Amino acid sequence: DSSSGSLGDLFNPRSIAVVGASTSKDKIGNIVFRNLVATFKGRLYAVNSDGRQVEGREAYTALSVIDEQVDLIVIAVPRDAVPEVMIDAAKKRVRGAVIITSGFREVDERGEELEKEVLGIAARAGIRIFGPNVLGLCQLPGPRGPAAAGAGAQAALGDGPAKPGKRRSRRIDYSNGAFTTTLTPRTV
């Protein structure tokens, strides 16, 4: 289903978990996490295999150990770990996943097999996927402020506030192209 309502849920999550949030500032998982710390107004969770704090925030070893509901996950782990993350997301009833990780069908047969496995898990669990191998998704601005769930999304798309009466864009990068819906704000 590609209705704007279902996409709206992903553009306005109440909670996001970055799976693969790193303590190393040059790793994509840390860059994404820092970007979200600066822009996202909802609940934000860091998930990494050793549970080490990220940017001074508590980290979890898996999605399943987070007590609260997680609406959207951003995945920045090695490709072979993505299916396990998606299984955990399915059990957690996550609604959407942005898979930044690359190395799937664009690389080799093993990557193609992994991508099919990930898509199958998502389909069975009803998880909307953007990716793999994406910059992310971005809404400029939103009711919770501008949020970018990918390292390059906010920088590439800008983060300035919308002017009254102007259109707002929602953009999703899906590696080899971009899907964009333009919405005109309703007048009250």
Side-chain angles (χ1 to χ4, degrees):
D1 172 17
S2 62
S3 70
S4 61
S6 61
L7 290 176
D9 290 341
L10 297 178
F11 276 105
N12 296 302
R14 292 175 302 238
S15 58
I16 299 174
V18 178
V19 183
S22 174
T23 58
S24 178
K25 291 201 182 292
D26 63 337
K27 298 281 188 175
I28 192 71
N30 182 278
I31 295 167
V32 169
F33 192 78
R34 279 187 284 132
N35 189 28
L36 287 167
V37 165
T39 61
F40 182 61
K41 305 296 183 208
R43 293 183 313 275
L44 181 61
Y45 305 100
V47 178
N48 57 49
S49 59
D50 57 4
R52 292 181 60 197
Q53 281 191 348
V54 178
E55 300 300 315
R57 293 188 180 217
E58 178 182 8
Y60 299 84
T61 56
L63 287 168
S64 57
V65 299
I66 300 172
D67 289 332
E68 295 83 15
Q69 175 61 37
V70 174
D71 295 329
L72 178 69
I73 59 172
V74 179
I75 302 175
V77 299
R79 76 175 187 177
D80 289 335
V82 174
E84 183 180 330
V85 171
M86 289 300 296
I87 290 168
D88 205 18
K91 291 176 185 173
K92 187 78 178 159
R93 298 179 186 238
V94 170
R95 294 187 303 193
V98 176
I99 305 174
I100 294 173
T101 304
S102 63
F104 290 88
R105 68 182 166 146
E106 76 275 9
V107 173
D108 58 21
E109 286 182 29
R110 173 68 179 140
E112 186 173 0
E113 291 168 9
L114 285 168
E115 187 170 326
K116 286 178 182 176
E117 181 180 356
V118 167
L119 294 176
I121 295 164
R124 288 187 297 278
I127 300 172
R128 292 284 279 214
I129 287 185
F130 301 113
N133 191 24
V134 299
L135 287 174
L137 56 89
C138 187
Q139 175 174 316
L140 306 171
R144 293 175 180 86
Q154 188 173 18
L157 301 174
D159 64 357
K163 304 289 185 232
K166 298 288 183 180
R167 292 175 174 226
R168 294 182 178 165
S169 294
R170 293 179 175 185
R171 300 176 185 183
I172 302 165
D173 165 68
Y174 61 93
S175 186
N176 296 329
F179 171 82
T180 303
T181 61
T182 304
L183 306 175
T184 304
R186 292 183 186 163
T187 54
V188 184

